[in-house]
Amino acid sequence: MDNIFLQISVLLGITVSIAFIMRILRQPLIVAYIVAGLVAGPLFLNLVAGGEEFFQIFAEFGIVLLLFIVGLSLNLDYIKKVGKAVLIGGLVQFVITSGFGLLIMTLLNFSFITSLFVAMAISFSSTIIVIKLLADKRDLESVYGRFVIGTLLVQDIIAVILMIFLNTSNSEGAVWYNTAITIGAKGVVLTGIVFLMSRYLLPHIMDKVATSGEMLFIFTIAWCFGVASLVYWSGFSIEIGAIIAGISLGASPYQPEISSRIRPLRDFFIVLFFVVLGSELQVTQVRDAIMPAIILSVFVLLFKPILLYFTMRFLKYTRRSAYLASTTSGQVSEFGFILIFTAIGINYLRGSELAILTLVALITIVVSSYIITYNEFIYRKLLPLFNKFGEDIHRKINEDNLKNYPVWIFGYHRIGWKVCEALAEKKIKFAVVDFDPAAIAKLKHRGIPVFFGDAADVEFLNELPLNKARLVISTLPEPDDQKTLITNIRQHNKRCHIIGNLYHSDHLEELYKAGADYIMMPHLLGGQWIAEILKTHSWSKSTFKKIRAAQKEEMQLRFTVSSH
């Protein structure tokens, strides 16, 4: 098939068909992309024949856009917010996984260079897959979710450093320290230029172009490829330039919109990237790669989660948080492919390593996706086994602070803080449960009894004296967490009044059946409030001026006494 248009049309048709199957199987679409690449490659249909150079260029676009979004998401403030634990977790995971991976590959009679690159490639976990699955489970803001995201950011930073190192080491005929000094000097100058532009020039430009969504999209693409080209002209790789371009826009208030607009374009080119990957694989390579891939897949699926579990336990996380986080690490990352491709491009590798990594990716992504999706269910099944090792010492609540509070508030955020103010005004004793460190610090500073924990953790709930509570108010946003909380309370306390919270009616009857006395629905309460205003007040400027002033006062109070 010589016509490029027909090749792409058939390729997209194959990708969509496989994507439908993957969606039914509840698998990430990246699996569909990899399988489509294999099907379109020489192993099956060989669609790329005659258009290799064209697809190679498109694959480069995909890599650039992928790394641009990685740079866009490299939020160092997030790592500071979560704490040094994620830095330790990310470094430990990378170093130890790479070390044992290197040992396994060496025992399988691979060369040191091949073993090293494959070991580093499998040490990274997929940011795209993990964040998507955690978002689907609404666990991004949970204790373990924040740790996982922070660890992934640390791994992305390590990957960027490796890319820079590979670029630096690819200077033939030069003394290494001269190369390092030259590259370092160029890097400092280049970073300074980009920093100054992003600090003083970009904000003014962004304010202008952001008024139009189309203009913002075009400008972002132009900035991405412009900075990447500037970096490439300076002696670095295009990939490093894409990351720098992303980082320079990462602090922009328009970052979320930029990211959402670029992702569909990235996904299109990533499909072509995996087609090129599939076109690189030969039948003999795949046959020779099967056994090493199976061994490495078992290593990734078992060793990486176990390592992360014990790392988190060492960092004093609870068994539940450590286990749930560990399940997210059992797959390889898209960064691994980029690392191998980069090494092939600078003649460090021959290309057979791609077959191994591709098979490892397919096996681990498929298996780990199910494990992440059902990690809570699996944990409950394993709980009797965990209990045989004794009590969870990192979950133990300080009994000196435990009292039979008549009222318990779960969630101190947009709604919870106002409830706390009302209870304090009525001089009713209450305690708050939250897993946001900022909210915990705020409450402790104000002398309000607070307990750090997750309402979805049954073990944690069993330690709280909820059997004596008269009223429990949950402002949690997630229906599943609230169902767990309500069910647990009803098992020990039939007389307690329970108030829940929902942002939609899908799970309303489910929570009432679980035992809730009343479910707040903010949009209905908001509608009732404005309806009452319209019925009881005159429709005049003075009326709306008064309620606007009251709203402003409320917001000032919120930012003074709440965690936000």
Side-chain angles (χ1 to χ4, degrees):
M1 189 181 295
D2 296 328
N3 189 293
I4 292 296
F5 179 79
L6 290 178
Q7 285 178 318
I8 293 180
S9 299
V10 173
L11 169 63
L12 292 178
I14 292 171
T15 304
V16 170
S17 301
I18 297 174
F20 272 120
I21 298 173
M22 292 300 113
R23 182 64 71 183
I24 294 172
L25 296 175
R26 301 188 68 177
Q27 285 292 316
L29 288 182
I30 193 170
V31 175
Y33 301 160
I34 296 174
V35 174
L38 294 175
V39 171
L43 291 178
F44 295 97
L45 302 181
N46 200 22
L47 293 177
V48 185
E52 290 88 348
E53 185 176 351
F54 174 82
F55 281 101
Q56 189 73 44
I57 293 172
F58 268 44
E60 285 287 336
F61 283 140
I63 293 174
V64 167
L65 291 172
L66 173 62
L67 294 177
F68 174 72
I69 292 181
V70 168
L72 201 63
S73 304
L74 280 182
N75 190 343
L76 297 179
D77 290 334
Y78 190 92
I79 297 176
K80 292 179 183 178
K81 176 184 175 182
V82 179
K84 65 180 180 180
V86 298
L87 183 61
I88 296 172
L91 289 173
V92 167
Q93 174 110 355
F94 173 75
V95 172
I96 297 182
T97 303
S98 296
F100 277 92
L102 176 62
L103 177 62
I104 292 172
M105 289 294 290
T106 303
L107 292 175
L108 291 173
N109 296 320
F110 286 92
S111 68
F112 175 78
I113 291 296
T114 297
S115 301
L116 179 62
F117 274 98
V118 172
M120 290 190 296
I122 64 174
S123 67
F124 299 112
S125 299
S126 176
T127 302
I128 293 176
I129 293 171
V130 172
I131 289 182
K132 175 65 169 63
L133 291 174
L134 289 183
D136 290 343
K137 288 166 58 66
R138 296 181 175 88
D139 280 352
L140 288 176
E141 289 301 318
S142 64
V143 175
Y144 88 92
R146 288 199 298 265
F147 181 90
V148 167
I149 294 172
T151 302
L152 292 172
L153 286 173
V154 172
Q155 290 185 3
D156 287 345
I157 293 171
I158 293 172
V160 170
I161 294 172
L162 286 175
M163 299 282 288
I164 295 174
F165 176 78
L166 285 176
N167 181 76
T168 304
S169 63
N170 188 33
S171 298
E172 300 179 358
V175 182
W176 70 268
Y177 52 81
N178 287 337
T179 302
I181 292 173
T182 303
I183 294 291
K186 287 182 178 179
V188 170
V189 173
L190 194 61
T191 303
I193 293 173
V194 174
F195 172 78
L196 291 174
M197 291 178 65
S198 62
R199 182 72 180 271
Y200 299 105
L201 181 62
L202 265 182
H204 300 290
I205 298 177
M206 296 298 293
D207 289 340
K208 299 292 184 184
V209 301
T211 55
S212 167
E214 293 82 0
M215 187 65 184
L216 180 64
F217 174 75
I218 294 297
F219 174 80
T220 301
I221 295 296
W223 178 263
C224 170
F225 285 96
V227 172
S229 299
L230 175 64
V231 172
Y232 179 73
W233 174 76
S234 302
F236 293 90
S237 67
I238 286 285
E239 291 81 5
I240 297 301
I243 293 171
I244 292 175
I247 292 174
S248 65
L249 289 176
S252 169
Y254 308 105
Q255 184 265 355
E257 185 177 356
I258 292 172
S259 185
S260 64
R261 287 182 176 274
I262 294 295
R263 281 197 180 97
L265 186 64
R266 175 205 66 184
D267 289 345
F268 170 74
F269 286 112
I270 284 296
V271 173
L272 301 183
F273 166 75
F274 283 112
V275 169
V276 172
L277 184 150
S279 70
E280 299 283 339
L281 302 182
Q282 305 299 323
V283 177
T284 54
Q285 290 179 340
V286 174
R287 185 175 61 246
D288 295 339
I290 291 176
M291 187 52 64
I294 292 174
I295 294 173
L296 288 175
S297 296
V298 173
F299 171 74
V300 170
L301 287 167
L302 293 180
F303 181 80
K304 285 176 68 176
I306 291 172
L307 174 62
L308 186 58
Y309 175 84
F310 283 105
T311 301
M312 289 188 68
R313 292 294 288 161
F314 175 77
L315 295 170
K316 300 183 179 181
Y317 280 84
T318 64
R319 281 178 186 160
R320 178 178 177 274
S321 293
Y323 173 79
L324 296 180
S326 69
T327 61
T328 65
S329 63
Q331 81 289 123
V332 298
S333 170
E334 56 281 351
F335 245 129
F337 288 108
I338 296 175
L339 186 65
I340 296 297
F341 259 103
T342 303
I344 292 172
I346 58 180
N347 298 319
Y348 278 2
L349 301 176
R350 296 180 179 178
S352 59
E353 300 79 9
L354 273 178
I356 297 174
L357 189 62
T358 301
L359 293 179
V360 172
L362 282 174
I363 295 171
T364 58
I365 291 174
V366 169
V367 175
S368 68
S369 296
Y370 289 125
I371 293 175
I372 296 172
T373 301
Y374 299 105
N375 58 6
E376 189 76 53
F377 173 79
I378 297 171
Y379 174 75
R380 289 173 183 167
K381 292 296 183 182
L382 293 175
L383 195 54
L385 176 63
F386 283 121
N387 289 336
K388 289 183 179 181
F389 292 93
E391 191 175 18
D392 187 349
I393 59 173
H394 299 319
R395 183 176 47 80
K396 187 66 178 174
I397 299 174
N398 187 351
E399 295 184 0
D400 295 336
N401 295 329
L402 276 182
K403 297 179 182 178
N404 293 324
Y405 295 99
V407 181
W408 289 80
I409 312 297
F410 284 80
Y412 184 80
H413 46 89
R414 293 178 179 86
I415 300 174
W417 76 274
K418 191 63 178 174
V419 175
C420 291
E421 294 305 306
L423 293 171
E425 186 176 331
K426 290 180 66 66
K427 301 188 183 320
I428 297 175
K429 291 184 178 181
F430 66 93
V432 179
V433 175
D434 206 303
F435 56 57
D436 182 2
I440 298 293
K442 180 69 111 177
L443 288 163
K444 284 184 176 179
H445 178 71
R446 298 184 59 212
I448 295 176
V450 59
F451 298 90
F452 180 83
D454 193 338
D457 187 349
V458 176
E459 295 173 278
F460 169 72
L461 294 177
N462 288 337
E463 290 197 358
L464 298 175
L466 299 175
N467 59 321
K468 302 291 186 180
R470 292 173 51 199
L471 175 64
V472 173
I473 301 175
S474 168
T475 69
L476 305 174
E478 304 309 328
D480 290 341
D481 293 349
Q482 294 198 80
K483 184 179 178 181
T484 299
L485 172 64
I486 295 168
T487 303
N488 182 271
I489 294 172
R490 281 292 175 242
Q491 289 174 351
H492 304 93
N493 190 338
K494 302 294 185 183
R495 303 179 63 180
C496 175
H497 300 296
I498 303 175
I499 299 175
N501 176 57
L502 278 179
Y503 288 95
H504 46 75
S505 60
D506 294 349
H507 300 272
L508 186 62
E509 289 304 317
E510 186 178 350
L511 294 189
Y512 278 129
K513 287 180 181 179
D517 292 294
Y518 180 71
I519 301 297
M520 298 181 290
M521 301 190 73
H523 63 284
L524 291 181
L525 295 176
Q528 291 172 1
W529 178 85
I530 193 63
E532 192 66 24
I533 291 291
L534 295 175
K535 287 191 297 184
T536 58
H537 292 71
S538 61
W539 300 1
S540 62
K541 286 188 176 181
S542 61
T543 296
F544 294 107
K545 186 176 181 180
K546 287 178 181 178
I547 62 175
R548 188 168 69 244
Q551 181 188 57
K552 186 176 181 180
E553 185 179 345
E554 284 287 321
M555 294 302 295
Q556 288 175 342
L557 179 64
R558 172 187 168 188
F559 284 99
T560 301
V561 301
S562 79
S563 62
H564 292 268

